[in-house]
Every structure is written in C-alpha cells, then in structure tokens.
Amino acid sequence: MPDDPQTPEFWIALRQAQGLVSATGTDTVNALIDAYETSPAFTDPDKLSDGTRNFYRRSLKIARDAWGELPSAKLRPVHVQAIMDGLSQTKGKANNFLGAMRALSAWASARGHIDTSLTEGVKPYAAKGGHKPWTSAQIEQVHEQLTGMLRRGVLLYVYTGQRGSDVVRLGWTDVDEGGFALRQRKTGREVWCPIVPELAAEMATWARRPGPFLLQDNGKPYTRKLFSKHFADARDQIPALAGATLHGLRCTAVVRLRRAGLSTGQISDITGMSLAMIERYCRFADKKASGQAALVSLARTREEQNCKTPENWKAKNT
C-alpha cells in the first residue's frame, strides 16, 4: 500500500484491495474517476448532496464503460462530444453526463491530473418544457387549499426561491437581520435571501423552536423527497395545480424578483442560481412584459393618430 493517504494512489490501492475496482494505473480514466470519487470534493456533504453524488456516479459510469482503461491524458472534448451525440435521444441523460464530466474536469485540472479541459466547447442540449413558473391563480390556491406543513413548505419555496434540499433545512437559526443566511447544500454557495413581508406574516404564526420549520406528524424533519411526495399527493386533489412542480416555484421566485426590478446578478446572490439559468427562467416573463408594453405603445399610437385626423381636428375646433 502507498504510504500517503492524501494521494489518489493510496485510495485506488485501498479500493483494489477491497475488490472494488480492477487493477489500474493512476493514468487511466478509471483511476482518474476513482481519485475524484474518493476526494473530499466528492465525498464532503457540504460540497455535494447525496442526490448529486448519485447522479454523478451514474453518469461517470458511462465514462468508465467507454474509456475506463484508456489513458486519461489522451481524453479530449471530442470524445465527450461523441458520447453526447450517442445520447442525443435521451437529452436529459446526455446533459447529466456532461455535468458530471465538467465536475470531473474542473477537479482534475485544478490538481494537475490533466493538462486540458475535458469539456471545452461541449454544449448541453436545449431543454424543452421543463419546470414552469406557477401562475398567480395557482399561488392563490396554495393560500386557499393547503394547510399545515404543506402550506408552510410551499410558501417557503415560493418566497425564498431555494432548492428543496435547502427549504427542508431552513429554521429560525438561519434568520439573519431580516433574511435567511445559508450555505446551499448542492453547491456549497453562501447566500442571503431576504424574508419578504408576505413570508414574514406567515412566519409570525410559527412557533419558535430549534430545528427546521418543516416537521412530519411524528416530529421528525422532512426530507426533500418525502415533502415532494406529500405535496404531489395533495396536488392531485387540486385541479388548478395540475402539472405544477415544486421546482417550478424556484422559477416563480426568479420571475417575481425580476418583475420587482432586480438585476440578474442580484437574483443570483439571493437564489444561488447561475446567471444563465436566471436568464432562461426570466425569458418568458421578459417577453410577456415586452409584449404588454408593446400593446400600450400601439394603443397610444392609434390614439395619437386618431387625434390628428382632419375630422377630429374640425370637431375639436367647432
């Protein structure tokens, strides 16, 4: 066994001794992935959630199957693009693969394991459909139809714009000078999310106690997955919420902040979302606002034209 547990060789040798991987050198794709999956960047729960790690493992298995025993130094974006092309019929799977390869590439490049990016120039497939913002009428249904922890949780989604993995962890100890200060579980990014008046009014009715806001009937904290299941059960009983998703409330929060006049950078600071994703979520709201402004402008133009007709001028001056 190698002596230094800080090196990839030590962990690869340990996994080989345990029969978890085949005997590979540190210069293969398998070895590179082994080193990444045993590094703190991958195993630390403050850096990656359990769900993200599972997604990455499944996606990196595609890389293992394709190039496992090949030299990692020879791997190039053209090879990643070839896999993306092969997965073009399952775009979600392809994009998950690219996300995992980007994470692997960033980690390996920063530590000198590879000399060039593995994903430079490789683009994800454009998403079709996806999570949609909720309408005002749907938000009203939350106030009218949902009660208890379901109402509380959904409103936390609505007014914070945080991911479900962070919503279920929010509690009184996260309140900091009129907002929530938290480190996001998925990305490790620290954000400060203002508590808007609508949410503050709801929170005024909540008991002040240690632990998260969202508790099950047995007193145990909710997990994101369990809360999503309970929400889905309730949603199916409310026709107006058909097709609505909890992640769609993240879109809703972004649109609300944009309409309030916040910049993309400010929204990113609050939600922890990438600038590109914010622009994507705001695209429909911006188009709708532009269209509404155009209607007002067109109506004003028609009105001005009517005022300038000879008939109107004569009527006005007789």
Side-chain angles (χ1 to χ4, degrees):
M1 288 281 292
D3 295 327
D4 187 1
Q6 301 300 315
T7 62
E9 290 85 353
F10 175 89
W11 292 102
I12 294 168
L14 177 62
R15 294 185 72 183
Q16 290 170 1
Q18 294 171 331
L20 299 178
V21 295
S22 59
T24 60
T26 59
D27 59 347
T28 67
V29 173
N30 270 336
L32 187 68
I33 296 174
D34 285 338
Y36 173 54
E37 289 185 351
T38 54
S39 72
F42 189 89
T43 61
D44 188 341
D46 288 334
K47 292 184 169 62
L48 293 179
S49 67
D50 291 340
T52 300
R53 282 197 293 273
N54 288 334
F55 270 121
Y56 281 4
R57 284 194 186 97
R58 288 197 293 270
S59 295
L60 291 174
K61 185 178 185 302
I62 297 173
R64 289 181 184 276
D65 292 342
W67 315 303
E69 298 305 315
L70 300 178
S72 56
K74 298 291 182 67
L75 195 60
R76 293 291 184 270
V78 65
H79 304 122
V80 175
Q81 184 64 63
I83 296 293
M84 293 289 290
D85 293 342
L87 296 173
S88 60
Q89 298 304 310
T90 52
K91 293 180 172 56
K93 185 176 182 179
N95 290 345
N96 287 339
F97 168 73
L98 179 57
M101 289 302 296
R102 283 176 171 173
L104 173 67
S105 179
W107 175 85
S109 295
R111 289 158 182 79
H113 297 307
I114 56 176
D115 296 326
T116 183
S117 169
L118 304 178
T119 58
E120 182 73 28
V122 183
K123 304 295 184 184
Y125 288 106
K128 294 184 179 179
H131 301 281
K132 296 180 180 179
W134 288 33
T135 65
S136 298
Q138 288 175 319
I139 300 297
E140 289 178 7
Q141 288 296 305
V142 174
H143 289 275
E144 294 176 6
Q145 304 275 2
L146 297 184
T147 60
M149 290 295 161
L150 275 179
R151 173 192 172 95
R152 180 180 295 192
V154 172
L155 291 178
L156 282 169
Y157 270 92
V158 171
Y159 294 119
T160 67
Q162 301 303 310
R163 297 180 184 87
S165 56
D166 295 315
V167 167
V168 296
R169 295 189 300 126
L170 287 175
W172 287 109
T173 54
D174 297 307
V175 176
D176 175 40
E177 297 185 2
F180 291 118
L182 67 148
R183 176 188 287 272
Q184 294 182 319
R185 185 172 183 182
K186 180 177 180 179
T187 64
R189 182 173 177 178
E190 293 185 357
V191 299
W192 187 88
C193 173
I195 299 174
V196 298
E198 297 91 337
L199 181 56
E202 291 287 330
M203 291 173 59
T205 67
W206 301 351
R208 290 183 174 269
R209 52 168 175 70
F213 292 130
L214 302 181
L215 297 179
Q216 304 173 53
D217 291 341
N218 60 12
K220 293 183 178 180
Y222 262 107
T223 62
R224 180 202 60 79
K225 187 174 182 179
L226 183 60
F227 187 84
S228 295
K229 180 181 182 302
H230 286 183
F231 165 75
D233 292 340
R235 176 196 58 200
D236 292 344
Q237 305 304 314
I238 305 173
L241 297 185
T245 66
L246 287 174
H247 200 76
L249 290 173
R250 189 157 158 82
C251 316
T252 307
V254 168
V255 171
R256 176 176 55 81
L257 293 170
R258 172 61 67 87
R259 287 175 173 167
L262 274 67
S263 68
T264 301
Q266 289 172 315
I267 297 173
S268 178
D269 289 340
I270 291 172
T271 63
M273 197 180 297
S274 71
L275 301 183
M277 188 61 71
I278 291 169
E279 291 295 343
R280 176 184 162 194
Y281 283 161
C282 289
R283 185 169 52 206
F284 175 76
D286 291 345
K287 286 182 178 178
K288 187 175 182 179
S290 296
Q292 291 171 335
L295 285 175
V296 172
S297 178
L298 289 170
R300 184 182 300 117
T301 300
R302 284 194 298 269
E303 188 175 307
E304 290 171 351
Q305 288 174 343
N306 289 338
C307 289
K308 294 177 181 178
T309 61
E311 293 79 6
N312 286 344
W313 185 88
K314 289 179 182 177
K316 183 177 179 182
N317 292 275
T318 55

